[in-house]
Amino acid sequence: QKEVEQNSGPLSVPEGAIASLNCTYSDRGSQSFFWYRQYSGKSPELIMSIYSNGDKEDGRFTAQLNKASQYVSLLIRDSQPSDSATYLCAVRRYGQNFVFGPGTRLSVLP
Amino acid sequence: SAVISQKPSRDICQRGTSLTIQCQVDSQVTMMFWYRQQPGQSLTLIATANQGSEATYESGFVIDKFPISRPNLTFSTLTVSNMSPEDSSIYLCSVEKPGQRDGYTFGSGTRLTVV
């Protein structure tokens, strides 16, 4: 069983719409949760981190965490073509290494 | 966050040869990590490099194939030895600065093609 799961996509949304990216994880001891954006041919870039249940907003990005459901999501409001990338979910238990999901490819259509 | 310089950015190598990838950080970090990202795949941790001790390898990766050096707190190298086409991948170093909770910073990556 994979430890971190994401839909591989591609997820296609029109420009200006809300993109919703989902991630589930199997380790109930996970304490830190991250979203990375990776443009084609580039290295991953951290865009959001969340540690407590609920929502965390940063500009057009909102991360949502539900530890009881072992679920973390990323919402991108007013999606732009420049948001087209692969989004990697990563989880971590304290003192251990990150576990990355397979990534969801997002395509924002102009 | 830390700034990481990784080189080479890409290389095309003959099978059976070795390539050493360098990673330089602009500040001292305790742990450096080496990842592999095969085409269309997510990140797989190869090993954790700690200064002053042997690297810790993940399951499926061995020191003879991926020797790592960590001579100081700002520098590490990963060597891909006796390469085969299956080693064609992107290799990334990353760091986590002590006291910072906010995830890893990644180098720009090395795109390796073995022919």
Side-chain angles (χ1 to χ4, degrees):
Chain A
Q1 181 183 2
K2 290 183 179 179
E3 296 183 54
V4 179
E5 297 192 7
Q6 300 177 251
N7 290 327
S8 61
L11 172 66
S12 296
V13 300
E15 184 174 356
I18 296 175
S20 178
L21 305 164
N22 303 316
C23 172
T24 58
Y25 58 95
S26 61
D27 182 2
R28 285 195 170 275
S30 299
Q31 297 163 299
S32 308
F33 307 86
F34 304 88
W35 284 98
Y36 285 82
R37 177 177 62 199
Q38 186 174 24
Y39 292 113
S40 180
K42 302 294 185 183
S43 61
E45 171 193 13
L46 180 67
I47 55 173
M48 288 288 287
S49 60
I50 187 167
Y51 307 97
S52 303
N53 282 330
D55 295 359
K56 179 181 178 182
E57 186 174 320
D58 184 0
R60 295 187 296 112
F61 299 99
T62 299
Q64 299 175 318
L65 174 62
N66 183 327
K67 291 185 179 180
S69 300
Q70 296 174 245
Y71 176 91
V72 58
S73 66
L74 179 71
L75 301 178
I76 306 175
R77 290 182 299 280
D78 188 23
S79 295
Q80 301 297 309
S82 59
D83 295 324
S84 298
T86 296
Y87 289 80
L88 301 168
C89 172
V91 304
R92 188 183 193 188
R93 179 191 282 256
Y94 179 76
Q96 297 189 5
N97 294 320
F98 284 80
V99 179
F100 286 87
T104 297
R105 189 154 55 93
L106 172 66
S107 178
V108 180
L109 306 174
Chain B
S1 62
V3 176
I4 305 173
S5 174
Q6 184 176 341
K7 59 181 181 181
S9 59
R10 59 178 62 231
D11 207 340
I12 300 173
C13 300
Q14 297 290 323
R15 73 171 64 209
T17 64
S18 298
L19 176 72
T20 295
I21 302 167
Q22 299 181 4
C23 189
Q24 178 76 53
V25 190
D26 68 342
S27 57
Q28 293 184 343
V29 293
T30 303
M31 298 170 74
M32 297 179 73
F33 306 89
W34 288 97
Y35 282 87
R36 181 173 73 183
Q37 188 173 32
Q38 295 180 305
Q41 303 296 314
S42 189
L43 301 165
T44 301
L45 180 64
I46 297 171
T48 302
N50 299 310
Q51 195 269 335
S53 63
E54 294 264 338
T56 303
Y57 289 82
E58 297 299 304
S59 176
F61 298 96
V62 295
I63 188 171
D64 289 347
K65 176 67 175 177
F66 297 101
I68 287 171
S69 77
R70 184 79 200 276
N72 56 54
L73 290 173
T74 64
F75 186 78
S76 179
T77 67
L78 170 76
T79 298
V80 186
S81 302
N82 189 24
M83 288 184 285
S84 66
E86 291 71 34
D87 294 319
S88 297
S89 188
I90 297 173
Y91 292 84
L92 296 144
C93 67
S94 68
V95 303
E96 180 182 38
K97 291 204 69 176
Q100 287 191 353
R101 298 176 68 194
D102 277 352
Y104 291 174
T105 301
F106 285 88
S108 54
T110 297
R111 183 180 293 273
L112 170 63
T113 302
V114 184
V115 296

